[in-house]
Amino acid sequence: MSTVPEFFASKVFDDKVMRARLPEKVYRSLRKTIDNGETLDLNLANSVAEAMCAWAVENGATHFTHWFQPLTGITAEKHDSFINPAPDGRVIMELTGKELIKGEPDASSFPSGGLRATFEARGYTAWDPSSYAFIKEKTLCIPTAFCSYGGEALDKKTPLLRSMDALNRQALRILKLFGNTEVKRVVTNVGPEQEYFLVDREMYLKRKDLIYTGRTLFGAKPPKGQELEDHYFGAIKPRVQAYMEELNEELWKLGILAKTEHNEVAPAQHELAPIYATTNVATDHNQLTMEIMKKVARKHGLVCLLHEKPFAGVNGSGKHNNWSMSTDTGENLLSPGETPYENARFLLFLVAVVKAVDEYQDLLRLAVATAGNDHRLGANEAPPAVLSMFLGDELAAVLDAVETDSPYAGAERKTLKLGVDSLPRFTRDTTDRNRTSPFAFTGNKFEFRMVGSSDSIACANIMINASVAEALRQLADDLEGAADFDERLHALIKETYIAHKRIIFNGNGYDDAWIKEATEQRGLLNLRTVADALPRLLEQKNVEMLTSHGIFSETELKSRYEIQLENYVRTVRIEALTMADMARKEIIPAMAAFAASLAEGAAKKLAVGTDVGCRYETKLVKKLSCLTDTADAAAEEVEKTVTTLDALGDVTEESRFVRDEVLPKMAALRAVCDEAETLTAASYWPFPTYGDLLFGV
Ligand code: ADP
Ligand code: MG
């Protein structure tokens, strides 16, 4: 086995490979395309394609595919082989520039939310040179964006790239105002910390709920859950260790910088964090990471659960989205600097994010709204559905001093004049972390913690980039028109902070008192479910903002609204049907069988004599018979709601019905069955319990 540096990125057509294999001129043009988003002409594309194909074939690839992210949430690929007939009857392996640049998968079976009705079903994929091509199994995967011929985005990458461009444009305006002209491009970076559960595959296969829905729909609390917190950062078990080792290797070969791994709070829960990368690349890498996590698990007799809430009563899984903005000259714009100007610039970018999160709370919330994530955000778990930001004590003190024109203790006790005075050196605060905050400043980046573990990070980052771009636009408009830049800069930071400080909260984010304060006193939004959050996408202020930056067209927004709601409805519908099925075919029969055997036993005992005690059997048979009837009725209710749901026909109406009727009926069915589980002999219970699953690896 070779060493990590030797095999790292061995399956990636990255800069090193390009430099070695492309003619100097082609390499330089391609680099420009990658770094500055310039277009590449077809001649150069031919040359790149040829080199890419030769490299891929040498590395065992036989096929290529345009790899893209349709609105299903997973990635899609359609494989074509490289072979082409040669005149001598043999074949040559070939990839043309045209094949590299553009593909035409059949778009008709991907969700398009009404776009299909208005536009042609046909769509095309377009090479995204900013994300390197890689080899998976025997296939060269070319990262692409997916659009309809009418130009409407049918994927998550296209609007993500657009949002990065929007942020770039606005951030450059701000930098120019600060006299910085050498910066050519501002990019956003993301490091997504991925949480997941591992369960034993044999046990998994015995549970229809896990197979069909990715989460347990039934299950009584085990005697031991996560209360001892003995799992967090605990020693990793050998089987899990072996899994993590192989996972790391597979990820490293693909150039994914898997860095940290540890156990999480819940039993059987773990986390993997990569080193951050440009948002676009980080998004591709996270999609690949999720795919490979699942694949490697199979090899170890495990199943990797990426669902946001696989187990009730146990912490769910999220994906902390660490986000920052940086320049092509290597500066982190969320890092406090050395000079007064740098510090004022830092504070301006900081308040821009505060303004963005406050004004577009709804967009950030709906960007992470899925049926699975509702179980985390809408329930009593961190983070809550209410957006708020944590800045840390030191920064809060600086901003408070600016707000009130009062002396800041660190600044030699005089009032601060931003842009002129030196700010005290901020030390990077990593100790005083607020783990319950949905949007926390952690020294030189923001950590958005609401993203669900199974979701693509694209949607969240589209909305973060868009909201921040809009805030920067407004700030730049204001500053560009200012007679005295320093004067206006100081006032603007102050005004912006005052206008949006309601979003800042440093306390416990899942305290009921906070939710009350947030909604009643501060007027923040509490959008608990997908059905509550999604309609905000089509609010005028949001449509105007997103279209004005060219991130979405109005048609695209409508289609995404439909797709996301449809997804919610369909997911819950499958869960409801799975529950009814498990109750009818497995749980209720098990309860009845156990009760029957008890009754039979009691009858035999009574045959011995009337003085033989049957207290245990009598009590339990009565109780179980009663629960069996309740469960039967509850299953009927669930089935009825699905029938009603199917007759509705309008997706908005359906989503509300799911929230108000289907989910509560499912909860009722679960409650009876979970109670029955605690009363039924283990040998009768039809599938592995929470205890088996959580402690079985
Ligand atoms: P933790 O939050 O667990 O203390 P770190 O702060 O080291 O861990 O990093 C968590 C994630 O944030 C990692 O994926 C890391 O690469 C990423 N990260 C670190 N710095 C930045 C940055 N400037 N921009 C975006 N992500 C970053
Ligand atoms: Mg973190």
Side-chain angles (χ1 to χ4, degrees):
M1 187 73 197
S2 49
T3 64
V4 179
E6 279 163 358
F7 70 76
F8 185 81
S10 57
K11 294 183 170 181
V12 187
F13 192 75
D14 62 3
D15 192 70
K16 201 175 94 211
V17 184
M18 288 179 198
R19 199 190 290 265
R21 289 180 171 253
L22 293 173
E24 172 73 25
K25 194 171 136 252
V26 178
Y27 170 76
R28 267 192 280 116
S29 304
L30 180 57
R31 209 53 258 176
K32 268 198 206 141
T33 306
I34 295 171
D35 296 337
N36 311 328
E38 289 172 23
T39 44
L40 191 74
D41 82 42
L42 189 61
N43 279 334
L44 295 175
N46 278 327
S47 182
V48 176
E50 195 184 320
M52 215 184 247
C53 175
W55 168 82
V57 171
E58 275 168 41
N59 284 281
T62 52
H63 288 67
F64 72 95
T65 182
H66 274 199
W67 187 75
F68 60 102
Q69 298 163 29
L71 296 167
T72 48
I74 51 165
T75 53
E77 41 196 83
K78 172 185 147 240
H79 300 177
D80 282 303
S81 77
F82 289 122
I83 62 166
N84 263 311
D88 62 357
R90 307 175 69 109
V91 291
I92 49 166
M93 302 298 258
E94 209 173 46
L95 177 71
T96 64
K98 227 176 123 231
E99 284 171 320
L100 168 65
I101 290 182
K102 195 164 173 179
E104 300 189 44
D106 176 13
S108 58
S109 24
F110 293 107
S112 67
L115 282 182
R116 221 168 16 245
T118 2
F119 295 89
E120 261 193 292
R122 286 183 336 135
Y124 69 92
T125 49
W127 179 33
D128 166 21
S130 64
S131 183
Y132 296 136
F134 56 90
I135 297 172
K136 194 159 58 92
E137 310 286 337
K138 285 174 177 282
T139 302
L140 169 71
C141 299
I142 302 163
T144 54
F146 180 37
C147 299
S148 77
Y149 270 94
E152 309 283 338
L154 294 171
D155 68 350
K156 298 186 178 177
K157 171 168 279 196
T158 307
L160 179 66
L161 292 171
R162 292 175 184 160
S163 75
M164 291 172 73
D165 279 343
L167 187 132
N168 170 52
R169 277 194 300 276
Q170 303 306 329
L172 285 179
R173 288 176 67 195
I174 299 277
L175 291 178
K176 211 165 143 203
L177 284 165
F178 279 89
N180 190 332
T181 46
E182 65 282 17
V183 172
K184 291 214 173 48
R185 200 166 164 80
V186 171
V187 294
T188 57
N189 307 297
V190 169
E193 301 167 59
Q194 175 75 51
E195 291 181 330
Y196 61 99
F197 280 84
L198 286 177
V199 297
D200 183 81
R201 188 167 159 78
E202 293 292 313
M203 290 189 203
Y204 166 92
L205 290 173
K206 294 191 177 119
R207 295 203 52 140
K208 285 191 192 144
D209 47 4
L210 287 179
I211 294 173
Y212 295 144
T213 74
R215 73 177 179 110
T216 55
L217 299 169
F218 298 100
K221 268 202 176 69
K224 180 181 172 186
Q226 63 185 54
E227 48 281 275
L228 294 181
E229 303 201 333
D230 51 355
H231 186 69
Y232 192 51
F233 279 45
I236 299 172
K237 290 177 188 157
R239 201 166 155 203
V240 174
Q241 187 65 49
Y243 165 78
M244 286 178 171
E245 273 165 27
E246 185 171 347
L247 175 62
N248 280 338
E249 270 170 32
E250 290 303 314
L251 295 175
W252 289 336
K253 283 185 207 161
L254 287 167
I256 298 173
L257 292 154
K259 177 80 174 168
T260 24
E261 54 194 24
H262 59 77
N263 288 349
E264 265 300 328
V265 177
Q269 193 185 28
H270 312 279
E271 182 188 288
L272 181 143
I275 295 173
Y276 69 96
T278 309
T279 306
N280 168 34
V281 172
T283 305
D284 285 358
H285 280 180
N286 183 250
Q287 292 298 123
L288 267 177
T289 301
M290 292 194 284
E291 184 182 327
I292 291 166
M293 279 177 150
K294 289 189 169 170
K295 204 158 72 187
V296 173
R298 276 189 84 122
K299 289 216 226 155
H300 293 259
L302 299 165
V303 173
C304 172
L305 302 177
L306 290 173
H307 194 281
E308 284 74 19
K309 194 74 181 174
F311 303 98
V314 169
N315 273 12
S317 298
K319 190 139 54 188
H320 292 177
N321 188 85
N322 293 272
W323 178 92
S324 66
M325 299 174 264
S326 65
T327 66
D328 58 349
T329 51
E331 272 188 284
N332 180 345
L333 296 172
L334 291 176
S335 214
E338 306 281 335
T339 65
Y341 261 123
E342 279 171 357
N343 274 325
R345 191 187 73 188
F346 160 69
L347 286 181
L348 186 66
F349 277 103
L350 187 89
V351 295
V353 181
V354 172
K355 176 178 162 70
V357 175
D358 184 30
E359 285 178 345
Y360 296 101
Q361 299 161 46
D362 47 359
L363 288 182
L364 295 175
R365 168 65 185 95
L366 69 88
V368 299
T370 60
N373 217 12
D374 277 1
H375 297 289
R376 294 170 68 224
L377 306 178
N380 197 18
E381 189 168 327
V386 177
L387 253 148
S388 66
M389 297 174 88
F390 169 80
L391 295 182
D393 294 341
E394 218 177 339
L395 261 187
V398 170
L399 288 167
D400 284 339
V402 171
E403 178 189 352
T404 54
D405 290 317
S406 54
Y408 172 68
E412 294 140 10
R413 312 216 147 272
K414 59 175 191 171
T415 46
L416 293 170
K417 187 85 185 357
L418 296 174
V420 180
D421 288 337
S422 288
L423 285 187
R425 286 281 295 276
F426 305 110
T427 42
R428 223 194 116 184
D429 177 4
T430 45
T431 47
D432 184 23
R433 288 290 182 85
N434 185 326
R435 298 242 160 233
T436 66
S437 177
F439 212 109
F441 184 69
T442 49
N444 60 358
K445 63 186 193 290
F446 277 97
E447 189 167 332
F448 181 41
R449 302 196 175 113
M450 289 169 103
V451 187
S453 48
S454 67
D455 217 353
S456 159
I457 58 172
C459 300
N461 287 293
I462 292 168
M463 293 310 180
I464 298 175
N465 294 344
S467 314
V468 175
E470 171 61 16
L472 292 173
R473 182 191 68 76
Q474 291 182 26
L475 298 176
D477 281 354
D478 189 312
L479 285 170
E480 280 169 359
D484 181 333
F485 178 73
D486 288 338
E487 201 65 47
R488 187 60 202 137
L489 174 66
H490 182 96
L492 190 58
I493 291 175
K494 179 172 158 177
E495 285 164 21
T496 310
Y497 176 64
I498 293 172
H500 300 289
K501 60 184 271 204
R502 65 168 185 166
I503 195 81
I504 294 166
F505 174 65
N506 292 337
N508 182 352
Y510 52 87
D511 196 341
D512 287 339
W514 159 241
I515 304 296
K516 209 165 133 63
E517 179 189 330
T519 51
E520 288 172 18
Q521 281 142 47
R522 302 195 188 201
L524 300 177
L525 293 166
N526 184 14
L527 304 167
R528 295 194 53 217
T529 68
V530 177
D532 300 305
L534 248 288
R536 311 274 314 191
L537 184 62
L538 300 182
E539 294 236 323
Q540 200 185 346
K541 74 155 177 100
N542 293 332
V543 174
E544 272 170 15
M545 189 276 275
L546 292 165
T547 53
S548 75
H549 288 277
I551 295 166
F552 286 110
S553 68
E554 206 166 333
T555 326
E556 286 169 347
L557 284 173
K558 285 191 184 131
S559 88
R560 268 152 222 258
Y561 167 78
E562 267 187 37
I563 290 169
Q564 222 175 319
L565 274 191
E566 227 168 54
N567 198 299
Y568 172 67
V569 172
R570 287 180 187 171
T571 303
V572 177
R573 186 177 180 278
I574 293 169
E575 290 180 348
L577 291 176
T578 305
M579 278 193 99
D581 187 79
M582 288 172 78
R584 292 243 171 269
K585 296 190 185 141
E586 299 181 82
I587 299 173
I588 299 174
M591 289 156 74
F594 181 47
S597 88
L598 286 170
E600 216 174 288
K604 281 184 187 151
K605 276 190 182 177
L606 284 171
V608 175
T610 44
D611 57 338
V612 180
C614 290
R615 185 178 168 273
Y616 164 71
E617 289 89 342
T618 315
K619 205 177 76 185
L620 214 47
V621 168
K622 278 188 188 161
K623 179 99 199 168
L624 280 170
S625 305
C626 176
L627 282 177
T628 313
D629 287 349
T630 316
D632 171 57
E636 224 164 76
E637 285 293 315
V638 169
E639 287 154 352
K640 262 197 257 165
T641 57
V642 174
T643 311
T644 314
L645 176 69
D646 289 348
L648 287 177
D650 170 72
V651 77
T652 309
E653 215 182 313
E654 285 170 0
S655 71
R656 294 194 192 118
F657 186 78
V658 159
R659 174 193 64 195
D660 301 334
E661 299 292 331
V662 185
L663 286 164
K665 293 285 191 305
M666 285 164 60
L669 174 57
R670 176 177 184 146
V672 211
C673 294
D674 287 358
E675 188 185 347
E677 185 190 328
T678 64
L679 299 172
T680 305
S683 57
Y684 279 79
W685 202 249
F687 41 70
T689 64
Y690 266 33
D692 299 333
L693 287 166
L694 288 168
F695 298 96
V697 172

